mmCIF file of all heavy atoms in Angstrom:
data_model
loop_
_atom_site.group_PDB
_atom_site.id
_atom_site.type_symbol
_atom_site.label_atom_id
_atom_site.label_comp_id
_atom_site.label_asym_id
_atom_site.label_seq_id
_atom_site.Cartn_x
_atom_site.Cartn_y
_atom_site.Cartn_z
ATOM 1 N N ARG A 763 -43.918 16.805 -18.322
ATOM 2 C CA ARG A 763 -44.967 17.252 -19.227
ATOM 3 C C ARG A 763 -45.329 16.375 -20.388
ATOM 4 O O ARG A 763 -46.396 16.085 -20.810
ATOM 5 C CB ARG A 763 -44.824 18.703 -19.612
ATOM 6 C CG ARG A 763 -45.962 19.333 -20.351
ATOM 7 C CD ARG A 763 -45.619 20.753 -20.626
ATOM 8 N NE ARG A 763 -45.261 21.489 -19.395
ATOM 9 C CZ ARG A 763 -44.411 22.623 -19.504
ATOM 10 N NH1 ARG A 763 -44.099 23.090 -20.640
ATOM 11 N NH2 ARG A 763 -44.336 23.308 -18.425
ATOM 12 N N ALA A 764 -44.235 15.847 -21.122
ATOM 13 C CA ALA A 764 -44.443 14.995 -22.284
ATOM 14 C C ALA A 764 -45.321 13.734 -21.815
ATOM 15 O O ALA A 764 -46.229 13.298 -22.662
ATOM 16 C CB ALA A 764 -43.214 14.500 -22.840
ATOM 17 N N ALA A 765 -45.021 13.193 -20.630
ATOM 18 C CA ALA A 765 -45.869 11.987 -20.165
ATOM 19 C C ALA A 765 -47.225 12.558 -19.953
ATOM 20 O O ALA A 765 -48.240 11.682 -20.380
ATOM 21 C CB ALA A 765 -45.161 11.476 -18.957
ATOM 22 N N GLY A 766 -47.523 13.562 -19.457
ATOM 23 C CA GLY A 766 -48.881 13.987 -19.206
ATOM 24 C C GLY A 766 -49.656 14.392 -20.524
ATOM 25 O O GLY A 766 -50.729 14.146 -20.642
ATOM 26 N N ILE A 767 -48.851 14.984 -21.450
ATOM 27 C CA ILE A 767 -49.560 15.221 -22.721
ATOM 28 C C ILE A 767 -49.718 13.918 -23.494
ATOM 29 O O ILE A 767 -50.746 13.749 -24.203
ATOM 30 C CB ILE A 767 -48.608 16.134 -23.629
ATOM 31 C CG1 ILE A 767 -48.617 17.550 -22.945
ATOM 32 C CG2 ILE A 767 -48.965 16.169 -25.031
ATOM 33 C CD1 ILE A 767 -47.727 18.675 -23.695
ATOM 34 N N GLY A 768 -48.763 13.065 -23.335
ATOM 35 C CA GLY A 768 -49.008 11.759 -23.914
ATOM 36 C C GLY A 768 -50.246 11.009 -23.386
ATOM 37 O O GLY A 768 -50.949 10.342 -24.233
ATOM 38 N N PHE A 769 -50.410 11.077 -22.212
ATOM 39 C CA PHE A 769 -51.741 10.486 -21.570
ATOM 40 C C PHE A 769 -52.949 11.119 -22.042
ATOM 41 O O PHE A 769 -53.917 10.574 -22.572
ATOM 42 C CB PHE A 769 -51.666 10.679 -19.962
ATOM 43 C CG PHE A 769 -52.957 10.024 -19.335
ATOM 44 C CD1 PHE A 769 -52.911 8.653 -18.976
ATOM 45 C CD2 PHE A 769 -54.087 10.851 -19.075
ATOM 46 C CE1 PHE A 769 -54.063 8.167 -18.369
ATOM 47 C CE2 PHE A 769 -55.069 10.240 -18.370
ATOM 48 C CZ PHE A 769 -55.055 8.943 -18.062
ATOM 49 N N VAL A 770 -52.947 12.513 -22.096
ATOM 50 C CA VAL A 770 -54.216 13.218 -22.500
ATOM 51 C C VAL A 770 -54.381 12.965 -24.043
ATOM 52 O O VAL A 770 -55.523 12.730 -24.488
ATOM 53 C CB VAL A 770 -54.050 14.703 -22.366
ATOM 54 C CG1 VAL A 770 -55.105 15.562 -23.145
ATOM 55 C CG2 VAL A 770 -54.061 14.934 -20.816
ATOM 56 N N MET A 771 -53.258 12.985 -24.909
ATOM 57 C CA MET A 771 -53.423 12.816 -26.227
ATOM 58 C C MET A 771 -53.621 11.222 -26.609
ATOM 59 O O MET A 771 -53.779 10.941 -27.854
ATOM 60 C CB MET A 771 -52.162 13.212 -27.012
ATOM 61 C CG MET A 771 -52.089 14.701 -26.791
ATOM 62 S SD MET A 771 -50.789 15.527 -27.915
ATOM 63 C CE MET A 771 -51.584 15.257 -29.543
ATOM 64 N N ALA A 772 -53.655 10.367 -25.565
ATOM 65 C CA ALA A 772 -53.992 8.960 -25.943
ATOM 66 C C ALA A 772 -55.543 8.980 -26.172
ATOM 67 O O ALA A 772 -56.087 7.981 -26.792
ATOM 68 C CB ALA A 772 -53.748 8.169 -24.679
ATOM 69 N N SER A 773 -56.214 10.125 -25.972
ATOM 70 C CA SER A 773 -57.662 10.285 -26.312
ATOM 71 C C SER A 773 -57.851 10.169 -27.877
ATOM 72 O O SER A 773 -58.800 9.749 -28.327
ATOM 73 C CB SER A 773 -58.231 11.618 -25.838
ATOM 74 O OG SER A 773 -57.389 12.651 -26.159
ATOM 75 N N PHE A 774 -56.780 10.489 -28.534
ATOM 76 C CA PHE A 774 -56.740 10.305 -29.965
ATOM 77 C C PHE A 774 -56.960 8.818 -30.355
ATOM 78 O O PHE A 774 -57.730 8.395 -31.117
ATOM 79 C CB PHE A 774 -55.395 10.777 -30.649
ATOM 80 C CG PHE A 774 -55.389 12.202 -30.931
ATOM 81 C CD1 PHE A 774 -54.904 13.033 -30.053
ATOM 82 C CD2 PHE A 774 -55.857 12.626 -32.159
ATOM 83 C CE1 PHE A 774 -54.755 14.400 -30.183
ATOM 84 C CE2 PHE A 774 -55.747 14.114 -32.418
ATOM 85 C CZ PHE A 774 -55.308 14.880 -31.403
ATOM 86 N N SER A 775 -56.248 7.946 -29.586
ATOM 87 C CA SER A 775 -56.292 6.415 -29.841
ATOM 88 C C SER A 775 -57.599 6.019 -29.262
ATOM 89 O O SER A 775 -58.231 5.128 -30.012
ATOM 90 C CB SER A 775 -55.130 5.947 -28.967
ATOM 91 O OG SER A 775 -53.857 6.448 -29.219
ATOM 92 N N ALA A 776 -58.082 6.484 -28.122
ATOM 93 C CA ALA A 776 -59.389 6.025 -27.582
ATOM 94 C C ALA A 776 -60.415 6.413 -28.633
ATOM 95 O O ALA A 776 -61.461 5.619 -28.731
ATOM 96 C CB ALA A 776 -59.616 6.597 -26.219
ATOM 97 N N ALA A 777 -60.374 7.546 -29.168
ATOM 98 C CA ALA A 777 -61.414 7.964 -30.151
ATOM 99 C C ALA A 777 -61.391 6.982 -31.460
ATOM 100 O O ALA A 777 -62.400 6.682 -31.946
ATOM 101 C CB ALA A 777 -61.141 9.365 -30.601
ATOM 102 N N SER A 778 -60.148 6.682 -31.661
ATOM 103 C CA SER A 778 -60.018 5.687 -32.855
ATOM 104 C C SER A 778 -60.490 4.291 -32.444
ATOM 105 O O SER A 778 -61.210 3.635 -33.287
ATOM 106 C CB SER A 778 -58.617 5.640 -33.363
ATOM 107 O OG SER A 778 -58.065 6.822 -33.744
ATOM 108 N N VAL A 779 -60.180 3.928 -31.394
ATOM 109 C CA VAL A 779 -60.428 2.457 -30.977
ATOM 110 C C VAL A 779 -61.827 2.237 -30.644
ATOM 111 O O VAL A 779 -62.578 1.277 -30.895
ATOM 112 C CB VAL A 779 -59.392 2.033 -29.823
ATOM 113 C CG1 VAL A 779 -60.147 0.888 -28.950
ATOM 114 C CG2 VAL A 779 -58.349 1.355 -30.450
ATOM 115 N N PHE A 780 -62.421 3.139 -29.722
ATOM 116 C CA PHE A 780 -63.730 2.938 -29.279
ATOM 117 C C PHE A 780 -64.788 3.916 -29.852
ATOM 118 O O PHE A 780 -65.920 3.525 -30.183
ATOM 119 C CB PHE A 780 -63.789 3.247 -27.709
ATOM 120 C CG PHE A 780 -62.802 2.321 -26.952
ATOM 121 C CD1 PHE A 780 -61.608 3.002 -26.383
ATOM 122 C CD2 PHE A 780 -62.985 1.044 -26.870
ATOM 123 C CE1 PHE A 780 -60.784 2.118 -25.579
ATOM 124 C CE2 PHE A 780 -62.227 0.182 -26.135
ATOM 125 C CZ PHE A 780 -61.077 0.664 -25.632
ATOM 126 N N GLY A 781 -64.387 5.119 -30.021
ATOM 127 C CA GLY A 781 -65.304 6.280 -30.499
ATOM 128 C C GLY A 781 -65.764 5.964 -31.881
ATOM 129 O O GLY A 781 -66.936 5.853 -32.244
ATOM 130 N N VAL A 782 -64.811 6.003 -32.767
ATOM 131 C CA VAL A 782 -65.085 5.995 -34.217
ATOM 132 C C VAL A 782 -65.794 4.637 -34.575
ATOM 133 O O VAL A 782 -66.804 4.712 -35.278
ATOM 134 C CB VAL A 782 -63.878 6.163 -35.042
ATOM 135 C CG1 VAL A 782 -64.142 5.925 -36.509
ATOM 136 C CG2 VAL A 782 -63.413 7.727 -34.846
ATOM 137 N N PRO A 783 -65.221 3.508 -34.294
ATOM 138 C CA PRO A 783 -65.821 2.256 -34.590
ATOM 139 C C PRO A 783 -67.297 2.203 -34.098
ATOM 140 O O PRO A 783 -68.255 1.694 -34.766
ATOM 141 C CB PRO A 783 -64.982 1.086 -33.952
ATOM 142 C CG PRO A 783 -63.630 1.821 -33.927
ATOM 143 C CD PRO A 783 -63.785 3.242 -33.667
ATOM 144 N N PHE A 784 -67.522 2.559 -32.761
ATOM 145 C CA PHE A 784 -68.870 2.520 -32.240
ATOM 146 C C PHE A 784 -69.761 3.545 -32.856
ATOM 147 O O PHE A 784 -71.005 3.229 -33.157
ATOM 148 C CB PHE A 784 -68.711 2.772 -30.795
ATOM 149 C CG PHE A 784 -70.148 2.603 -30.078
ATOM 150 C CD1 PHE A 784 -70.811 1.384 -29.998
ATOM 151 C CD2 PHE A 784 -70.777 3.665 -29.366
ATOM 152 C CE1 PHE A 784 -71.992 1.201 -29.431
ATOM 153 C CE2 PHE A 784 -72.032 3.573 -28.728
ATOM 154 C CZ PHE A 784 -72.735 2.305 -28.827
ATOM 155 N N GLY A 785 -69.240 4.823 -33.244
ATOM 156 C CA GLY A 785 -70.002 5.686 -33.970
ATOM 157 C C GLY A 785 -70.451 5.219 -35.410
ATOM 158 O O GLY A 785 -71.493 5.375 -35.781
ATOM 159 N N LEU A 786 -69.386 4.518 -35.927
ATOM 160 C CA LEU A 786 -69.768 3.996 -37.371
ATOM 161 C C LEU A 786 -70.803 2.850 -37.222
ATOM 162 O O LEU A 786 -71.649 2.687 -38.136
ATOM 163 C CB LEU A 786 -68.413 3.448 -38.010
ATOM 164 C CG LEU A 786 -67.560 4.485 -38.645
ATOM 165 C CD1 LEU A 786 -66.330 3.756 -39.182
ATOM 166 C CD2 LEU A 786 -68.339 4.993 -39.869
ATOM 167 N N TYR A 787 -70.604 2.127 -36.157
ATOM 168 C CA TYR A 787 -71.736 1.017 -35.964
ATOM 169 C C TYR A 787 -73.113 1.571 -35.745
ATOM 170 O O TYR A 787 -74.095 1.178 -36.348
ATOM 171 C CB TYR A 787 -71.386 0.149 -34.624
ATOM 172 C CG TYR A 787 -72.408 -0.826 -34.245
ATOM 173 C CD1 TYR A 787 -72.447 -2.060 -34.955
ATOM 174 C CD2 TYR A 787 -73.187 -0.492 -33.128
ATOM 175 C CE1 TYR A 787 -73.505 -2.949 -34.555
ATOM 176 C CE2 TYR A 787 -74.249 -1.420 -32.782
ATOM 177 C CZ TYR A 787 -74.295 -2.650 -33.402
ATOM 178 O OH TYR A 787 -75.267 -3.597 -33.129
ATOM 179 N N LEU A 788 -73.172 2.630 -34.982
ATOM 180 C CA LEU A 788 -74.564 3.336 -34.794
ATOM 181 C C LEU A 788 -74.944 3.918 -36.116
ATOM 182 O O LEU A 788 -76.203 3.880 -36.400
ATOM 183 C CB LEU A 788 -74.218 4.552 -33.811
ATOM 184 C CG LEU A 788 -74.032 4.018 -32.248
ATOM 185 C CD1 LEU A 788 -73.856 5.348 -31.412
ATOM 186 C CD2 LEU A 788 -75.265 3.216 -31.721
ATOM 187 N N ALA A 789 -74.101 4.508 -36.996
ATOM 188 C CA ALA A 789 -74.448 5.078 -38.099
ATOM 189 C C ALA A 789 -74.912 4.097 -39.143
ATOM 190 O O ALA A 789 -75.884 4.255 -39.912
ATOM 191 C CB ALA A 789 -73.156 5.825 -38.721
ATOM 192 N N THR A 790 -74.270 2.820 -39.103
ATOM 193 C CA THR A 790 -74.718 1.700 -39.991
ATOM 194 C C THR A 790 -76.110 1.197 -39.503
ATOM 195 O O THR A 790 -76.901 0.918 -40.396
ATOM 196 C CB THR A 790 -73.721 0.570 -39.943
ATOM 197 O OG1 THR A 790 -72.326 1.131 -40.250
ATOM 198 C CG2 THR A 790 -74.103 -0.556 -40.899
ATOM 199 N N ILE A 791 -76.324 1.142 -38.158
ATOM 200 C CA ILE A 791 -77.588 0.434 -37.727
ATOM 201 C C ILE A 791 -78.750 1.591 -37.783
ATOM 202 O O ILE A 791 -79.822 1.073 -38.292
ATOM 203 C CB ILE A 791 -77.405 0.084 -36.292
ATOM 204 C CG1 ILE A 791 -76.316 -0.982 -36.104
ATOM 205 C CG2 ILE A 791 -78.744 -0.484 -35.715
ATOM 206 C CD1 ILE A 791 -76.658 -2.306 -36.957
ATOM 207 N N TYR A 792 -78.533 2.784 -37.391
ATOM 208 C CA TYR A 792 -79.531 3.733 -37.458
ATOM 209 C C TYR A 792 -79.199 4.672 -38.653
ATOM 210 O O TYR A 792 -79.827 4.528 -39.669
ATOM 211 C CB TYR A 792 -79.574 4.497 -36.110
ATOM 212 C CG TYR A 792 -79.708 3.557 -34.949
ATOM 213 C CD1 TYR A 792 -78.626 3.262 -34.083
ATOM 214 C CD2 TYR A 792 -81.079 3.092 -34.614
ATOM 215 C CE1 TYR A 792 -78.918 2.204 -32.966
ATOM 216 C CE2 TYR A 792 -81.173 2.123 -33.664
ATOM 217 C CZ TYR A 792 -80.184 1.764 -32.721
ATOM 218 O OH TYR A 792 -80.416 0.953 -31.723
ATOM 219 N N SER A 793 -78.478 5.699 -38.389
ATOM 220 C CA SER A 793 -78.231 6.735 -39.489
ATOM 221 C C SER A 793 -76.976 7.468 -39.032
ATOM 222 O O SER A 793 -76.453 7.351 -37.876
ATOM 223 C CB SER A 793 -79.272 7.607 -39.753
ATOM 224 O OG SER A 793 -79.402 8.636 -38.576
ATOM 225 N N TRP A 794 -76.414 8.285 -40.052
ATOM 226 C CA TRP A 794 -75.223 9.105 -39.699
ATOM 227 C C TRP A 794 -75.452 10.094 -38.587
ATOM 228 O O TRP A 794 -74.563 10.683 -37.918
ATOM 229 C CB TRP A 794 -74.734 9.823 -40.917
ATOM 230 C CG TRP A 794 -75.655 10.883 -41.468
ATOM 231 C CD1 TRP A 794 -76.613 10.772 -42.419
ATOM 232 C CD2 TRP A 794 -75.744 12.237 -41.005
ATOM 233 N NE1 TRP A 794 -77.228 12.009 -42.510
ATOM 234 C CE2 TRP A 794 -76.693 12.839 -41.739
ATOM 235 C CE3 TRP A 794 -74.920 13.017 -40.107
ATOM 236 C CZ2 TRP A 794 -76.994 14.283 -41.610
ATOM 237 C CZ3 TRP A 794 -75.273 14.310 -39.854
ATOM 238 C CH2 TRP A 794 -76.317 14.927 -40.563
ATOM 239 N N HIS A 795 -76.712 10.360 -38.285
ATOM 240 C CA HIS A 795 -76.987 11.311 -37.200
ATOM 241 C C HIS A 795 -76.705 10.746 -35.796
ATOM 242 O O HIS A 795 -76.429 11.544 -34.860
ATOM 243 C CB HIS A 795 -78.555 11.565 -37.066
ATOM 244 C CG HIS A 795 -79.100 12.253 -38.383
ATOM 245 N ND1 HIS A 795 -79.028 13.504 -38.675
ATOM 246 C CD2 HIS A 795 -79.658 11.584 -39.607
ATOM 247 C CE1 HIS A 795 -79.692 13.854 -39.777
ATOM 248 N NE2 HIS A 795 -79.965 12.595 -40.352
ATOM 249 N N ALA A 796 -76.689 9.457 -35.536
ATOM 250 C CA ALA A 796 -76.498 8.816 -34.328
ATOM 251 C C ALA A 796 -75.180 9.120 -33.607
ATOM 252 O O ALA A 796 -75.194 9.267 -32.323
ATOM 253 C CB ALA A 796 -76.746 7.305 -34.457
ATOM 254 N N PRO A 797 -74.053 9.131 -34.245
ATOM 255 C CA PRO A 797 -72.907 9.346 -33.528
ATOM 256 C C PRO A 797 -72.795 10.814 -32.904
ATOM 257 O O PRO A 797 -72.134 10.974 -31.838
ATOM 258 C CB PRO A 797 -71.682 9.253 -34.659
ATOM 259 C CG PRO A 797 -72.434 8.477 -35.645
ATOM 260 C CD PRO A 797 -73.774 8.793 -35.743
ATOM 261 N N PHE A 798 -73.502 11.771 -33.554
ATOM 262 C CA PHE A 798 -73.478 13.022 -32.946
ATOM 263 C C PHE A 798 -74.431 13.217 -31.692
ATOM 264 O O PHE A 798 -74.197 13.949 -30.791
ATOM 265 C CB PHE A 798 -73.770 14.052 -33.951
ATOM 266 C CG PHE A 798 -72.856 14.083 -35.190
ATOM 267 C CD1 PHE A 798 -73.110 13.527 -36.430
ATOM 268 C CD2 PHE A 798 -71.725 14.799 -34.931
ATOM 269 C CE1 PHE A 798 -72.256 13.503 -37.428
ATOM 270 C CE2 PHE A 798 -70.709 14.701 -36.097
ATOM 271 C CZ PHE A 798 -71.010 14.247 -37.172
ATOM 272 N N LEU A 799 -75.473 12.351 -31.700
ATOM 273 C CA LEU A 799 -76.334 12.408 -30.536
ATOM 274 C C LEU A 799 -75.509 11.784 -29.373
ATOM 275 O O LEU A 799 -75.700 12.244 -28.274
ATOM 276 C CB LEU A 799 -77.626 11.549 -30.940
ATOM 277 C CG LEU A 799 -78.658 12.197 -31.694
ATOM 278 C CD1 LEU A 799 -79.732 11.240 -32.137
ATOM 279 C CD2 LEU A 799 -79.330 13.376 -30.887
ATOM 280 N N LEU A 800 -74.853 10.809 -29.722
ATOM 281 C CA LEU A 800 -73.943 10.050 -28.583
ATOM 282 C C LEU A 800 -73.053 11.100 -28.061
ATOM 283 O O LEU A 800 -72.871 11.194 -26.813
ATOM 284 C CB LEU A 800 -73.230 8.879 -29.218
ATOM 285 C CG LEU A 800 -72.162 8.238 -28.247
ATOM 286 C CD1 LEU A 800 -72.759 7.712 -27.085
ATOM 287 C CD2 LEU A 800 -71.274 7.177 -28.988
ATOM 288 N N LEU A 801 -72.297 11.861 -28.919
ATOM 289 C CA LEU A 801 -71.315 12.758 -28.489
ATOM 290 C C LEU A 801 -72.004 13.955 -27.604
ATOM 291 O O LEU A 801 -71.383 14.391 -26.637
ATOM 292 C CB LEU A 801 -70.599 13.443 -29.728
ATOM 293 C CG LEU A 801 -69.530 12.548 -30.229
ATOM 294 C CD1 LEU A 801 -69.025 13.086 -31.656
ATOM 295 C CD2 LEU A 801 -68.361 12.387 -29.466
ATOM 296 N N GLY A 802 -73.121 14.323 -27.978
ATOM 297 C CA GLY A 802 -73.879 15.305 -27.206
ATOM 298 C C GLY A 802 -74.202 14.881 -25.705
ATOM 299 O O GLY A 802 -73.936 15.677 -24.811
ATOM 300 N N LEU A 803 -74.604 13.590 -25.632
ATOM 301 C CA LEU A 803 -74.887 13.037 -24.339
ATOM 302 C C LEU A 803 -73.574 12.859 -23.426
ATOM 303 O O LEU A 803 -73.532 13.250 -22.364
ATOM 304 C CB LEU A 803 -75.453 11.645 -24.530
ATOM 305 C CG LEU A 803 -75.703 10.783 -23.244
ATOM 306 C CD1 LEU A 803 -76.608 11.682 -22.335
ATOM 307 C CD2 LEU A 803 -76.254 9.480 -23.459
ATOM 308 N N LEU A 804 -72.445 12.481 -24.210
ATOM 309 C CA LEU A 804 -71.239 12.401 -23.521
ATOM 310 C C LEU A 804 -70.816 13.837 -23.000
ATOM 311 O O LEU A 804 -70.109 13.943 -21.875
ATOM 312 C CB LEU A 804 -70.169 11.791 -24.294
ATOM 313 C CG LEU A 804 -70.208 10.290 -24.628
ATOM 314 C CD1 LEU A 804 -69.189 9.876 -25.589
ATOM 315 C CD2 LEU A 804 -70.119 9.527 -23.319
ATOM 316 N N GLY A 805 -71.008 14.836 -23.810
ATOM 317 C CA GLY A 805 -70.598 16.075 -23.581
ATOM 318 C C GLY A 805 -71.247 16.809 -22.266
ATOM 319 O O GLY A 805 -70.761 17.341 -21.455
ATOM 320 N N VAL A 806 -72.603 16.394 -22.210
ATOM 321 C CA VAL A 806 -73.349 16.763 -20.939
ATOM 322 C C VAL A 806 -72.582 16.118 -19.703
ATOM 323 O O VAL A 806 -72.378 16.849 -18.665
ATOM 324 C CB VAL A 806 -74.815 16.425 -21.038
ATOM 325 C CG1 VAL A 806 -75.537 16.608 -19.693
ATOM 326 C CG2 VAL A 806 -75.497 17.139 -22.214
#
């Protein structure tokens, strides 16, 4: 179970490495609204 939880919780790292920097990039280029639009699309 720890290995399984470790894999799932690597999403923390993925959010830090890919999600947050890309979200900040979108916020810098467009506005702070953009990261939430991206998350909504991923959610669907």
Side-chain angles (χ1 to χ4, degrees):
R763 192 176 300 160
I767 288 177
F769 179 86
V770 170
M771 294 189 70
S773 53
F774 280 88
S775 309
S778 300
V779 151
F780 304 112
V782 173
F784 187 61
L786 279 174
Y787 173 76
L788 292 177
T790 302
I791 298 300
Y792 300 104
S793 73
W794 66 266
H795 303 272
F798 297 103
L799 285 172
L800 171 66
L801 284 169
L803 176 61
L804 289 175
V806 172

